[in-house]
Amino acid sequence: MDELSEKEQIEAIRSWWQVNGRYIISGIVIGIGLLVGWNYWNSQQRQAQFEASALFEALLVAVADNSVAAAETAAARLNDEYGGTHYALQSHLAMARLYMDAGQDENAADELRALLAKQNDEEMALVARLRLAKILLYQDKPQEVVDLLQGYGDSAFAARYNDTLGDALVALGRTEDASVAYTAALADNPNIPTVDRTLVQMKIYDLPDVAASDAMEADTPESLPVDEAALNGDSE
């Protein structure tokens, strides 16, 4: 009985393997394939990061040398071949700086707009937005600055945004709105300031409405010397 039982068990195993063996082998093959593919993908990603890093270093060298042509070549390769990397995003900031130093402010603005359009990195976008606003002010486009910065009062760059927004509003003649923006900039944490508070306060004081208000207060009767004798009718 025992011998027969063992034969039956062996036969049962053979039958089970004939039915299920192909699935087990397929699963093993697929698992190995996935593991190999994952390792290959990671290797490719590391290689891409390494190559992007080398290109970005070449870009920084070109920027330091004020070599626009060399920088443009490196930046173009970064964005064409490694557009999804952090280095490609940073290349826009580097190129914007180089273009401004070269007096090509419109090219600088285009680089910052390209970075904002990607929307891949919130912190970098905050930097790009502020720098673009500064360029637009330089180009005497205050309304574009207002359109660009309004609605970002809750960001980490709120104080700097409001300071720049105030400058644009002054250029548009909207002094009351400018005062509100400058005042909002002063709401920044004084222990960790991100704006020059003294300069912002001077901007508020220099606003036409504020200056006129101060002048009117200085000319009020209460501030002038009083001739008590004249008031009492004791004139000679």
Side-chain angles (χ1 to χ4, degrees), residues 16-79:
W16 181 89
W17 181 257
Q18 288 177 353
V19 174
N20 299 289
R22 70 185 68 178
Y23 301 110
I24 293 174
I25 293 173
S26 297
I28 293 172
V29 171
I30 291 172
I32 292 174
L34 289 174
L35 180 60
V36 171
W38 174 255
N39 288 335
Y40 176 77
W41 183 83
N42 279 333
S43 175
Q44 290 294 100
Q45 288 295 106
R46 287 193 295 270
Q47 182 65 22
Q49 288 290 332
F50 175 79
E51 293 174 0
S53 174
L55 273 174
F56 186 68
E57 288 181 14
L59 170 60
L60 293 182
V61 170
V63 169
D65 292 340
N66 291 318
S67 178
V68 174
E72 287 176 337
T73 299
R77 281 195 60 194
L78 262 175
N79 285 278

Side-chain angles (χ1 to χ4, degrees), residues 4-234:
L4 182 60
S5 176
E6 288 180 5
K7 288 182 178 179
E8 289 176 344
Q9 290 176 10
I10 292 172
E11 188 62 32
I13 291 172
R14 286 176 177 172
S15 298
W16 181 89
W17 181 257
Q18 288 177 353
V19 174
N20 299 289
R22 70 185 68 178
Y23 301 110
I24 293 174
I25 293 173
S26 297
I28 293 172
V29 171
I30 291 172
I32 292 174
L34 289 174
L35 180 60
V36 171
W38 174 255
N39 288 335
Y40 176 77
W41 183 83
N42 279 333
S43 175
Q44 290 294 100
Q45 288 295 106
R46 287 193 295 270
Q47 182 65 22
Q49 288 290 332
F50 175 79
E51 293 174 0
S53 174
L55 273 174
F56 186 68
E57 288 181 14
L59 170 60
L60 293 182
V61 170
V63 169
D65 292 340
N66 291 318
S67 178
V68 174
E72 287 176 337
T73 299
R77 281 195 60 194
L78 262 175
N79 285 278
D80 290 343
E81 300 174 21
Y82 309 101
T85 66
H86 194 70
Y87 298 109
L89 296 177
Q90 289 181 312
S91 72
H92 292 293
L93 295 179
M95 289 303 300
R97 172 188 167 187
L98 177 60
Y99 281 135
M100 284 302 294
D101 290 342
Q104 301 179 33
D105 51 276
E106 191 56 42
N107 286 341
D110 288 342
E111 288 290 339
L112 296 171
R113 291 189 183 100
L115 176 53
L116 288 174
K118 291 183 176 180
Q119 298 181 339
N120 292 348
D121 188 300
E122 183 178 352
E123 184 175 347
M124 203 173 296
L126 289 172
V127 175
R129 190 175 300 278
L130 180 61
R131 293 186 183 179
L132 178 56
K134 297 287 188 181
I135 293 174
L136 292 173
L137 272 179
Y138 170 78
Q139 295 178 330
D140 194 23
K141 299 176 180 178
Q143 185 57 54
E144 291 189 31
V145 175
V146 173
D147 296 338
L148 182 68
L149 297 183
Q150 280 188 329
Y152 290 88
D154 295 331
S155 72
F157 278 49
R160 281 173 278 189
Y161 279 4
N162 280 308
D163 182 23
T164 306
L165 180 60
D167 293 345
L169 291 167
V170 168
L172 291 170
R174 296 167 54 182
T175 54
E176 291 185 6
D177 293 334
S179 179
V180 172
Y182 287 141
T183 302
L186 291 176
D188 194 24
N189 185 348
N191 296 321
I192 314 175
T194 59
V195 295
D196 186 334
R197 298 177 63 83
T198 301
L199 178 60
V200 175
Q201 288 171 337
M202 290 178 62
K203 290 179 181 179
I204 294 175
Y205 181 78
D206 287 340
L207 290 174
D209 288 350
V210 174
S213 176
D214 290 345
M216 289 179 64
E217 290 180 3
D219 291 337
T220 55
E222 290 79 7
S223 66
L224 297 174
V226 177
D227 187 343
E228 295 184 358
L231 289 174
N232 295 326
D234 297 334

